Amino acid sequence: MSANNPPGGQDPDRTTAYRWNQGQPESSQQPGGQPYQQHQPYPPQQPPYQQQPQQPYGQPQQPYGQPQQPYGQPQYNQQQPYGQQQYGQQPGYGDQTVREPHGWQQQGPEGFGPSHAAPAKKGGKGWLIAAIAAVLVVLVGGGGVYAVSALSGGGAQPHEVLPAGAIGYVRIDLDPAANQKVALFALARKFTVTKDKVTGDDPRKALFEAIKSDSDSLADVDFAKDVDPWLGSRIGAAVLPAAAGSEEPGFAVAVQVTDEAAAKAGIAKLMGKEKYGLAFRDDYAILSEDQASAAKYAQGPTLGEDGEFTGDLDALGEPGVLSFWTNVGKLGEMSKSAMTAEQKQMLDKVKNARFAGALRFDSAYAELAGVVRGAEAMSAGDPQSANISTLPASTAGAFSASGLGDLVVKQWSELMTSASATPDGTSAKQLIDQAQQAYGLSLPDDLGTMLGKNLTVAVDGEGLDAQMPKVGVRIVTDPAKAEAIMAKIEKALTDSGQAAPKLNKQSGDGTYTIATTPEYAKQLAEEGTLGDSETFQTAIPDAGSATFALYVDLDKIEQFYLKGLQGDDLANAKLFRAVGLSGTQSGADASFSLRVLFN
């Protein structure tokens, strides 16, 4: 299986139009079914030291800079293959053309520079943990565009060599799919803190130096001599069930290598006097707590052969630069002895649940995507679409969730039992009883009616600085029942001598709307055109099927959060365009996408 393809077999050079709850990207093919070829930018200038060109990690690839047809555009700018160019002499590099979201723009020879952010002091095996923590900083601050010059994304992935039976897994990839590298390059050029830091730095070296600066045990380790000759671009770690008679979980770390003999010597120097086990499999060094464990893991079945694991990653799609997976129930079992009775009861509900996630990039946004599968006990049926695309086009922010009413009614007894078990549970139950008596409510049925099949809260972008901003709630429910409940509450307030709040209500066909102004109540009750907005479409993919969604158009509220900012802070803050969180819940499975969009 290609190193960068998810288990479903997607093309590592595909375009970046993701749909987190679908198996394939929207626009990854030309007519006829052929995948688009991505433009490979010229590699940034290499460091001045001389070294032999390395083979790409994992598999052969074509020479860097080989002209291709970028995004369907005509070919242009050819260059010598990697390893044949003369350092410091890159004809045409100053005219390098980089794909930006809105057309082709000429770019200069900037590149990522080394990151100044360093992890906390670590020693011994701590370098492995620190490496995982520091990679994201390195990707954007210390050589991300070095990786853009190597667009293969080939070779085995850590899960293909780590042992089966893992209950947790995390992967960092400095050699992800081509689209991820190009997207990181485009995003880095937008921000003042990164656009002038594009050097040719090897991201592995930047990562190592960041760790070494705060680790006394690595003082005598030299990257060029002790690390560069063998270190690949990927690291993966697996958490394993505790061995019999032990409460501590096991672990295995897979580090991609290019030379086993050099890796053996280099790892020995890195680990110093720390005890560890080391074995090799498919261009990876496998490290564990002792030699017997490492040898066993290198021979046995792998995590990549686990059907549940590969199915979860396939559902997740593009793995991006960072991905992770856990068996929620089995991970919880490790600490079950320290849990309360209520916590154990909650754990039983998710004993078969698994969670997978990925951090990935597009030139217009960064995305954290995730899937939950196998959570049968948490199922609330199949809620309807939240569909906030029908809100007014002037909407600045909205939150919508479906199925809350049915969920509250179904889980009411358990909710009350859980509340009673908390320190404040008695007072909470008293408040609920008082509310029922004071307002004549029938719980949980009346609460289920007001939460409805879908509940949407919206804030309009027009008049945000007015004395009465436009804020409203739209509920998909029985409008007659909702009006009767509101009437009971208002009457109870009036009878007690309190003033009932001035609310503007609108009943529609299966909907009930409450807003701060009559005009806005009418707007919310009607069919709006927010879904026509390109910003909304990017922030909330597949809005028609999402069962929950949160959307904020930052451009519409920037007048409030840009106040007081100056210089680079102001310029960078203006780049943030919108935030979208959306997902689906159906039966025992759920998925979500959190996107931060950039101008």
Side-chain angles (χ1 to χ4, degrees):
M1 182 171 65
S2 176
N4 248 51
N5 289 355
Q10 298 179 21
D11 183 354
D13 291 332
R14 62 194 174 284
T15 59
T16 54
Y18 303 123
R19 285 297 179 266
W20 45 264
N21 60 351
Q22 296 181 12
Q24 298 291 335
E26 256 186 13
S27 55
S28 60
Q29 293 188 338
Q30 299 176 11
Q34 297 300 317
Y36 281 112
Q37 297 294 323
Q38 296 248 3
H39 167 52
Q40 300 185 5
Y42 287 100
Q45 183 170 327
Q46 303 297 318
Y49 58 80
Q50 298 294 323
Q51 65 180 27
Q52 295 300 316
Q54 293 185 351
Q55 289 298 319
Y57 311 129
Q59 68 178 27
Q61 68 183 48
Q62 65 185 29
Y64 300 125
Q66 185 70 27
Q68 296 186 11
Q69 185 176 356
Y71 300 95
Q73 300 296 327
Q75 298 179 357
Y76 63 94
N77 285 357
Q78 299 187 10
Q79 68 177 57
Q80 292 177 312
Y82 180 82
Q84 298 180 13
Q85 66 189 40
Q86 299 296 317
Y87 291 123
Q89 299 178 10
Q90 298 183 358
Y93 179 76
D95 296 327
Q96 176 180 339
T97 305
V98 177
R99 177 71 183 230
E100 293 288 343
H102 302 292
W104 297 95
Q105 300 179 4
Q106 297 297 323
Q107 307 291 356
E110 293 90 354
F112 285 128
S115 170
H116 297 290
K121 277 190 176 293
K122 298 285 181 183
K125 296 177 186 176
W127 75 272
L128 293 171
I129 299 172
I132 293 173
V135 165
L136 290 183
V137 176
V138 174
L139 280 169
V140 180
V145 179
Y146 173 92
V148 175
S149 68
L151 293 178
S152 70
Q157 288 289 341
H159 68 259
E160 296 177 70
V161 300
L162 286 169
I167 55 179
Y169 167 76
V170 63
R171 155 196 163 276
I172 294 287
D173 196 345
L174 290 173
D175 186 25
N179 61 327
Q180 294 297 288
K181 297 172 186 174
V182 174
L184 280 165
F185 180 86
L187 288 178
R189 290 197 55 82
K190 294 176 185 288
F191 292 89
T192 61
V193 293
T194 54
K195 74 174 184 178
D196 295 327
K197 295 182 180 179
V198 184
T199 65
D201 285 358
D202 182 337
R204 302 168 308 139
K205 181 181 179 182
L207 170 62
F208 174 79
E209 295 298 342
I211 298 169
K212 180 179 177 179
S213 65
D214 266 15
S215 178
D216 295 337
S217 65
L218 298 178
D220 296 331
V221 181
D222 180 75
F223 178 80
K225 182 176 68 173
D226 302 318
V227 180
D228 182 55
W230 59 269
L231 182 63
S233 297
R234 298 183 179 121
I235 299 174
V239 179
L240 302 165
S246 173
E247 294 184 357
E248 294 296 321
F251 76 92
V253 175
V255 181
Q256 191 180 46
V257 301
T258 58
D259 185 317
E260 288 190 9
K264 197 169 186 178
I267 290 172
K269 191 166 185 179
L270 284 168
M271 300 299 282
K273 297 181 179 180
E274 294 287 336
K275 180 183 176 183
Y276 68 96
L278 173 65
F280 293 92
R281 177 172 182 169
D282 297 340
D283 297 325
Y284 274 88
I286 301 175
L287 294 93
S288 194
E289 58 265 31
D290 55 55
Q291 188 58 37
S293 297
K296 174 185 174 183
Y297 298 153
Q299 295 297 322
T302 68
L303 184 58
E305 297 173 52
D306 184 319
E308 285 189 342
F309 173 84
T310 55
D312 295 342
L313 261 63
D314 187 54
L316 179 65
E318 167 63 62
V321 299
L322 179 149
S323 57
F324 50 90
W325 173 90
T326 181
N327 186 309
V328 179
K330 291 182 179 179
L331 196 63
E333 286 288 339
M334 292 170 52
S335 56
K336 194 170 184 178
S337 60
M339 291 182 179
T340 65
E342 291 298 323
Q343 290 172 329
K344 291 179 180 179
Q345 186 178 8
M346 288 299 297
L347 178 61
D348 288 340
K349 291 185 176 183
V350 295
K351 62 182 179 181
N352 297 319
R354 306 176 307 279
F355 175 54
L359 176 65
R360 53 205 189 194
F361 297 88
D362 180 273
S363 59
Y365 59 83
E367 178 183 48
L368 177 64
V371 295
V372 177
R373 307 179 83 204
E376 295 91 352
M378 301 299 290
S379 173
D382 294 313
Q384 68 176 48
S385 167
N387 202 12
I388 61 174
S389 61
T390 59
L391 290 173
S394 53
T395 299
F399 168 77
S400 184
S402 294
L404 292 179
D406 291 339
L407 182 64
V408 166
V409 172
K410 179 181 176 181
Q411 302 288 340
W412 185 256
S413 296
E414 292 186 34
L415 290 171
M416 291 299 97
T417 301
S418 298
S420 299
T422 64
D424 297 325
T426 302
S427 58
K429 190 175 186 308
Q430 289 176 346
L431 286 174
I432 292 171
D433 291 339
Q434 291 172 5
Q436 293 190 81
Q437 295 173 8
Y439 300 110
L441 298 177
S442 175
L443 298 178
D445 293 339
D446 285 352
L447 180 57
T449 297
M450 296 310 297
L451 291 174
K453 295 184 180 300
N454 171 263
L455 181 141
T456 298
V457 181
V459 180
D460 203 71
E462 296 177 356
L464 278 174
D465 53 356
Q467 186 175 1
M468 183 61 71
K470 297 179 182 178
V471 181
V473 179
R474 185 178 68 189
I475 311 166
V476 177
T477 188
D478 184 325
K481 289 183 178 179
E483 177 61 33
I485 294 168
M486 290 299 297
K488 284 192 288 186
I489 295 173
E490 290 174 345
K491 183 178 185 302
L493 289 172
T494 303
D495 291 346
S496 64
Q498 302 179 57
K502 289 189 64 177
L503 297 174
N504 299 278
K505 294 164 282 186
Q506 183 95 20
S507 294
D509 184 13
T511 63
Y512 187 71
T513 304
I514 306 170
T516 54
T517 70
E519 297 79 14
Y520 196 50
K522 186 173 183 298
Q523 274 186 289
L524 287 181
E526 296 172 346
E527 190 89 359
T529 58
L530 179 61
D532 293 342
S533 163
E534 188 271 335
T535 296
F536 175 83
Q537 292 171 6
T538 305
I540 309 293
D542 302 300
S545 59
T547 58
F548 62 90
L550 171 68
Y551 172 69
V552 181
D553 189 328
L554 296 175
D555 285 347
K556 284 186 169 69
I557 62 172
E558 66 178 7
Q559 58 178 313
F560 300 103
Y561 68 84
L562 292 182
K563 289 180 179 178
L565 298 181
Q566 296 179 351
D568 286 349
D569 290 340
L570 178 62
N572 291 324
K574 284 184 176 180
L575 290 173
F576 290 95
R577 178 181 176 188
V579 176
L581 170 65
S582 59
T584 63
Q585 187 275 316
S586 178
D589 298 342
S591 60
F592 74 87
S593 165
L594 172 61
R595 291 184 174 183
V596 178
L597 279 60
F598 307 98
N599 285 309

